[in-house]
Amino acid sequence: MFRKFAIAAVTVATVATAAVAMSPTDAYAKNRRGAIAAGAILGLAAGAIIASQAQPRYYQPVRCQNQPIRRWDPYYRQYVVVGYRQVCY
């Protein structure tokens, strides 16, 4: 889980660095629609990556119980418990 989080953090850092490294002429261009669209797409992509890593993981719990081991005892003439073994499902 930590590995996925680290990959997401590196991706976000790379995108943020690329956004900061833009030249000033790109920032003051007359046509800003493309820059706004690119920023929105990168923001949504970064948000999707971070949100996908934040989901809780559910695992089916392992159920274990102690099962008695029974053996025939000729002295008592019945089955007696001689021990237990753990059985997990």
Side-chain angles (χ1 to χ4, degrees):
M1 184 171 156
F2 179 74
R3 182 177 179 187
K4 289 182 180 181
F5 180 74
I7 291 171
V10 169
T11 304
V12 170
T14 303
V15 170
T17 304
V20 171
M22 290 179 132
S23 64
T25 57
D26 293 337
Y28 294 110
K30 289 183 181 178
N31 187 2
R32 294 184 183 158
R33 291 181 192 163
I36 292 172
I41 291 171
L42 289 176
L44 288 173
I49 291 171
I50 293 170
S52 69
Q53 300 303 319
Q55 293 178 352
R57 306 290 186 223
Y58 295 106
Y59 299 103
Q60 183 177 5
V62 178
R63 297 184 316 161
C64 296
Q65 64 182 10
N66 291 328
Q67 185 179 30
I69 300 172
R70 299 177 190 262
R71 300 282 187 256
W72 177 258
D73 189 355
Y75 181 77
Y76 292 111
R77 295 185 181 171
Q78 66 182 4
Y79 284 97
V80 294
V81 177
V82 294
Y84 292 92
R85 65 177 166 199
Q86 190 173 23
V87 179
C88 299
Y89 302 103

